[in-house]
Amino acid sequence: MKDAFLSLQKEATDTFKNIKETDNRAREAWRSLYVGRKGKVALLMKQLAGLSVEEKKEIGPIANAIKQELMQLFKTHDARGANARIDMSLPGRIPERGHEHPLYQVMDQVISVFLGMGFDVVEGPEIELGYYNFSALNIPKDHPARDMWDTFYVRHGKEEESVVLRTHTSPVQIRAMEHRTPPVRLIVPGRVFRHEATDATHGSNFFQLEGLVIDKGIRVTDLMGCLSAAMKGLYGKDTTIRLRPSYFPFVEPGFEVDISCMMCGGSTQPPYQGGGRRDGGCSVCKRTGWVEMLGAGMVHPVVLKNMKVDSRKYSGFAFGMGIDRMMMLAYGIPDIRLGYSGDVEFVRQF
Ligand code: FA5
């Protein structure tokens, strides 16, 4: 038996020496024939089972050593062989580069416009206390104004204990002012959540960007000037804005801010022949010439009080815009849900 192992060792070693270094196929055949799972060494080792205990003690270690030696011979050679050589002249494999999601592209554009106007960027938690999301923003419990936001409750209960997925970025106004004193100029980009029946323009998960300015003598005209400059920065110098009265509990007065249509340039009169036209008018502004862009208003004195800001000395304005809808306008995306579909083919277009 011992001789059988020794002669197999010699046979295997001699055969291996005769294989050309570049002949990968022959080397692989050698590996399979001698040290493979059903190779000659394995077959011979099976026969060890029929030996006496004494013989096993003597031959077992020899058999194992031969097996290891042959496997090592193959491995060592393989490491130096043709397989392991690197052809430096081959062109490298270039990994595919991704790019920012269109939502973040738009978000970054908006942020950079406001950074240019001297605003700071602040962030806050997506899971928020009911206090910050509602009460501190002058929306008391059971007030009908809460119906404006369909809320996902993480913990429903007493007001001071309730926890929600924030329905807007406005709670960060309050949080930010816990560590600041006026004058402040800040923006808050972030994800928000609403218990919406989703459709082409409504998501249950979308992005907003909030703005807050507080200083001495801030007036509605400052709000108008600031938002007008920002919208010109985003949509071109000919862009104009208009304010319509609206209601948000945390501002007084409150406005909806529209901008002149970026597609038809505010032309309401047919025959308009530019982009976005369908059946006798611009499909983006529906021939009104205006596109709804933001909610805004002068910060309510109750909210200033909750921020520990003296409303006799200071005043301010706040605004909030929906980034998803801005993305839809910027890229002509017909359905808000496409942005969250995880479809790479969709994202690659932008
Ligand atoms: C607010 O959320 C206020 N916090 C904004 C605000 C801030 C007003 C500061 C005054 C002062 P509103 O619910 O209208 O307001 O939402 C703001 C924007 O978010 C909308 O103009 C819209 O662009 C976007 N938006 C609202 N609901 C959805 C939705 N379900 N899906 C996608 N975008 C939405």
Side-chain angles (χ1 to χ4, degrees):
M1 193 81 205
K2 184 177 163 187
D3 290 344
F5 272 106
L6 292 174
S7 73
L8 182 57
Q9 179 192 24
K10 185 168 177 345
E11 176 193 325
T13 318
D14 289 347
T15 320
F16 194 83
K17 278 183 196 152
N18 289 328
I19 297 175
K20 271 199 202 152
E21 200 177 279
T22 50
D23 194 346
N24 289 333
R25 203 179 278 190
R27 247 196 351 256
E28 178 53 29
W30 178 92
R31 190 199 61 76
S32 162
L33 178 67
Y34 290 103
V35 287
R37 219 156 39 91
K38 291 184 179 165
K40 287 188 176 188
V41 176
L43 287 178
L44 201 56
M45 283 182 105
K46 267 194 185 159
Q47 293 179 24
L48 289 174
L51 299 182
S52 69
V53 178
E54 291 305 311
E55 285 172 316
K56 273 185 199 161
K57 270 190 187 163
E58 188 204 341
I59 301 175
I62 297 173
N64 271 327
I66 289 174
K67 186 181 168 192
Q68 292 304 324
E69 183 194 307
L70 293 178
M71 282 168 58
Q72 193 56 41
L73 180 68
F74 177 78
K75 272 193 205 156
T76 315
H77 197 86
D78 192 50
R80 287 197 229 110
N83 266 348
R85 287 201 181 138
I86 298 170
D87 182 349
M88 302 294 279
S89 66
L90 279 175
R93 279 192 211 129
I94 300 168
E96 200 180 332
R97 282 186 74 175
H99 65 75
E100 270 196 319
H101 191 282
L103 249 175
Y104 280 94
Q105 292 178 28
V106 172
M107 181 69 101
D108 283 353
Q109 279 168 16
V110 183
I111 291 174
S112 80
V113 163
F114 282 103
L115 283 180
M117 293 169 71
F119 281 72
D120 292 334
V121 179
V122 177
E123 287 183 305
E126 292 176 357
I127 300 175
E128 185 55 283
L129 295 173
Y131 168 75
Y132 290 105
N133 199 79
F134 293 125
S135 331
L137 289 168
N138 195 30
I139 319 172
K141 192 169 168 55
D142 301 324
H143 192 282
R146 286 208 183 187
D147 297 345
M148 288 166 77
W149 293 278
D150 299 304
T151 311
F152 287 114
Y153 279 88
V154 176
R155 192 165 66 208
H156 212 158
K158 283 189 204 144
E159 176 60 0
E160 59 279 13
E161 290 168 8
S162 75
V163 178
V164 301
L165 297 187
R166 67 177 177 192
T167 57
H168 49 174
T169 39
S170 303
V172 188
Q173 288 182 25
I174 308 286
R175 284 186 175 274
M177 290 310 290
E178 286 176 347
H179 311 286
R180 285 174 178 74
T181 48
V184 292
R185 245 181 296 180
L186 49 93
I187 48 167
V188 184
R191 190 191 288 266
V192 302
F193 309 85
R194 292 187 194 174
H195 189 233
E196 296 264 12
T198 57
D199 61 24
T201 52
H202 292 82
S204 51
N205 161 4
F206 55 99
F207 284 80
Q208 284 189 342
L209 185 129
E210 186 86 7
L212 176 70
V213 172
I214 303 179
D215 204 343
K216 285 183 179 152
I218 295 286
R219 297 171 299 183
V220 175
T221 43
D222 297 303
L223 178 158
M224 293 169 74
C226 171
L227 292 180
S228 170
M231 293 302 127
K232 284 183 200 298
L234 281 171
Y235 295 104
K237 63 178 174 37
D238 294 332
T239 309
T240 50
I241 64 165
R242 75 171 181 187
L243 272 57
R244 287 177 289 120
S246 184
Y247 172 69
F248 298 96
F250 31 91
V251 290
E252 179 58 38
F255 310 101
E256 292 287 347
V257 182
D258 301 336
I259 66 166
S260 52
C261 180
M262 67 289 282
M263 192 62 84
C264 67
S267 148
T268 60
Q269 300 303 312
Y272 160 67
Q273 297 295 339
R277 183 191 164 90
R278 259 184 223 126
D279 299 326
C282 174
S283 65
V284 171
C285 66
K286 312 268 180 337
R287 268 184 68 188
T288 62
W290 297 98
V291 179
E292 199 177 304
M293 211 31 130
L294 337 108
M298 302 305 289
V299 182
H300 197 288
V302 168
V303 176
L304 286 174
K305 188 169 156 240
N306 292 338
M307 292 171 173
K308 303 204 170 31
V309 172
D310 185 347
S311 59
R312 286 164 306 180
K313 278 195 194 156
Y314 293 101
S315 54
F317 64 84
F319 54 89
M321 56 188 98
I323 300 296
D324 299 61
R325 298 211 185 137
M326 292 172 81
M327 170 194 76
M328 293 170 77
L329 287 169
Y331 293 114
I333 295 171
D335 193 318
I336 197 169
R337 292 166 292 194
L338 285 167
Y340 299 88
S341 63
D343 182 351
V344 179
E345 292 307 319
F346 165 75
V347 176
R348 279 202 182 120
Q349 298 173 66
F350 307 102

